[in-house]
Amino acid sequence: MVKYRPHRGALCDAMAEMRIFDSVEDMFHYIVEDWKPYGNPFDIGDLTITCDEGKDERINWKEGRYVCTRRMREKIFDTPQCIGMCSIES
């Protein structure tokens, strides 16, 4: 099970959009589709997740990982940019 929340200004706003997926691949497909209204700024191959950054006590996620993109339209980043958070839990 993979929990995902997009990056938002407030945690409550991000959690209102939280989704649960069967796999990281399913999550990546959802993210690409969710961003399509903004002009298809990246593809699945541009997305990465970080190593476990630790438990998030605020929302009781067992782990927290950054969901990042290496590219936004024509701009390729030296450091992937965070677009959300996920937790991979069994």
Side-chain angles (χ1 to χ4, degrees):
M1 173 178 61
V2 180
K3 296 177 183 178
Y4 166 76
R5 61 182 164 93
H7 180 70
R8 297 290 181 257
L11 180 60
C12 62
D13 294 335
M15 291 305 292
E17 297 181 51
M18 196 254 318
R19 302 285 185 270
I20 298 175
F21 303 94
D22 291 328
S23 68
V24 170
E25 183 178 318
D26 290 345
M27 176 185 68
F28 282 176
H29 281 285
Y30 168 81
I31 292 168
V32 168
E33 288 297 315
D34 192 47
W35 279 76
K36 275 191 176 180
Y38 304 102
N40 297 321
F42 47 78
D43 298 316
I44 289 172
D46 296 311
L47 299 176
T48 60
I49 58 173
T50 63
C51 296
D52 182 6
E53 302 291 336
K55 185 173 183 175
D56 191 334
E57 301 284 345
R58 302 169 301 167
I59 54 176
N60 200 29
W61 281 14
K62 294 179 183 175
E63 64 168 24
R65 299 171 186 247
Y66 295 108
V67 178
C68 302
T69 183
R70 295 183 184 116
R71 178 178 67 89
M72 190 66 70
R73 294 179 188 81
E74 294 79 31
K75 173 73 175 168
I76 297 174
F77 302 110
D78 292 331
T79 303
Q81 301 298 296
C82 180
I83 58 171
M85 297 290 292
C86 73
S87 179
I88 303 171
E89 302 179 12
S90 52

